[in-house]
Structures are given as structure tokens and as C-alpha cells.
């Protein structure tokens, strides 16, 4: 047998031997009893306080009203946008509220009336208030935390929860 054929035959034997070994290992794994299924960890359930933020009469279209929710260490803004939006409440479906702490590094953000965005002066992230706090630019890696709102029969705007993580909190659990 020439040298080349010896190498090819040795390669074939190595391949077939290793293939048989792999097949035997796979068969043993398939025959082994299944490991008990692990339950998925439960998501933390947070109970937010119900808090009055303002009354519909207090709001003017496209003029932000400073608020704090779910506690005094969490600044936010309440907006009457003047057009029905996703997540909007009130008779016109145009009232929304957001955290004003940038989800990237926690810089306090400001509202621009011309394009209805919340903007971070730190690293220039921008969030669309007409689209549920959707990030439209910048370094942030998540959308803006939007407050869940309800309006009662007297026009009082109540906050009931938050849909995203508020900057600086590992969970939105209140201490």
C-alpha cells in the first residue's frame, strides 16, 4: 500500500471510530432518564400606590406638568398631547405620563414642544411621547418608563403603575 493510501485508510478508520463513539454517546444520552423540569422563576409582582397626579382641568395641550411617581425620588411629566395616542387616557385619549430620568444614565430630561419628545442632555437620547416613550435616538437601550393612568368621573388623573424599569432601580419595588 502506498503512503498516500495508508494515510487515507488511517483517516477513514479514525473518522469511522470517532463517528461510532459519537453515535454511542448520543444513544446513551437519549436513553438516559430525563432531568426533572425546572420551574421558571416567578416574576416579581410589584404593587404600585394609586396616586392622584392632577385633574384634566389642570392640563393645557402640549404644556408639561411636573409630577413625581411612584415616590418623591422619581420625577416625571404629565402631558396632554392634543391628539389621541397609544396609552393615552382622558376624554380625548391624549393624556400620558413618563419618567423624566433617562434610562441610559439617569440624567434629568426635558420636553420639547415642537416635536413632542423627551430629550436627555447627557448623551442625547430622545424619546417619542406620542409613541409610548419609544426611543428614537441615542445611547439608551430601552424605551422610556411610561406611567399607567386612569381618569375618574371627576377628571382626576390617577397613576397606577409603571411599564418599564425606572432608572436607578433594579426593580420598581418600592422601599
Amino acid at each position: 500500500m502506498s503512503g498516500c493510501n495508508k494515510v487515507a485508510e488511517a483517516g477513514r478508520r479514525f473518522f469511522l471510530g470517532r463517528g461510532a463513539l459519537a453515535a454511542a454517546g448520543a444513544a446513551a444520552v437519549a436513553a438516559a432518564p430525563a432531568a426533572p423540569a425546572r420551574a421558571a422563576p416567578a416574576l416579581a409582582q410589584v404593587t404600585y400606590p394609586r396616586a392622584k397626579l392632577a385633574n384634566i382641568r389642570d392640563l393645557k395641550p402640549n404644556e408639561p406638568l411636573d409630577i413625581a411617581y411612584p415616590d418623591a425620588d422619581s420625577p416625571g411629566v404629565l402631558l396632554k398631547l392634543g391628539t389621541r395616542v397609544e396609552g393615552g387616557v382622558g376624554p380625548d385619549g391624549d393624556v400620558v405620563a413618563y419618567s423624566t430620568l433617562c434610562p441610559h444614565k439617569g440624567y434629568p430630561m426635558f420636553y420639547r414642544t415642537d416635536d413632542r419628545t423627551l430629550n436627555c442632555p447627557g448623551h442625547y437620547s430622545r424619546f417619542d411621547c406620542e409613541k409610548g416613550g419609544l426611543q428614537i435616538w441615542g445611547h439608551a437601550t430601552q424605551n422610556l418608563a411610561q406611567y399607567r393612568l386612569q381618569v375618574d368621573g371627576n377628571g382626576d388623573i390617577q397613576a397606577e403603575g409603571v411599564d418599564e424599569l425606572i432608572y436607578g432601580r433594579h426593580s420598581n419595588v418600592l422601599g
Side-chain angles (χ1 to χ4, degrees):
M1 197 178 266
S2 73
C4 188
N5 287 338
K6 288 181 185 177
V7 170
E9 185 61 27
R12 238 187 319 265
R13 285 185 188 147
F14 180 80
F15 174 77
L16 291 173
R18 296 295 175 168
L21 202 63
V29 168
R38 292 184 186 181
L43 297 175
Q45 297 296 315
V46 178
T47 303
Y48 289 96
R50 186 173 174 92
K52 178 182 174 183
L53 301 177
N55 188 285
I56 291 282
R57 293 183 304 269
D58 302 332
L59 302 177
K60 294 185 174 99
N62 212 22
E63 289 185 19
L65 178 65
D66 290 334
I67 58 171
Y69 182 82
D71 53 43
D73 294 326
S74 185
V77 65
L78 184 63
L79 299 162
K80 179 174 177 56
L81 296 171
T83 57
R84 184 172 296 279
V85 294
E86 181 181 336
V89 298
D92 301 323
D94 64 344
V95 177
V96 292
Y98 296 98
S99 170
T100 54
L101 294 175
C102 181
H104 177 234
K105 294 283 184 180
Y107 284 90
M109 295 189 294
F110 62 92
Y111 181 70
R112 281 187 44 181
T113 58
D114 62 333
D115 63 0
R116 297 181 179 168
T117 59
L118 279 164
N119 298 268
C120 177
H123 298 103
Y124 311 110
S125 290
R126 300 179 70 216
F127 302 89
D128 191 333
C129 294
E130 293 179 307
K131 293 193 170 118
L134 178 71
Q135 180 191 351
I136 53 177
W137 183 260
H139 290 118
T141 58
Q142 70 184 52
N143 294 331
L144 197 53
Q146 183 174 7
Y147 303 145
R148 291 194 183 109
L149 305 175
Q150 292 289 326
V151 177
D152 68 17
N154 296 324
D156 289 337
I157 303 163
Q158 306 276 335
E160 299 182 322
V162 182
D163 72 350
E164 294 274 352
L165 211 57
I166 296 170
Y167 180 81
R169 299 173 187 215
H170 296 292
S171 70
N172 284 335
V173 176
L174 303 174

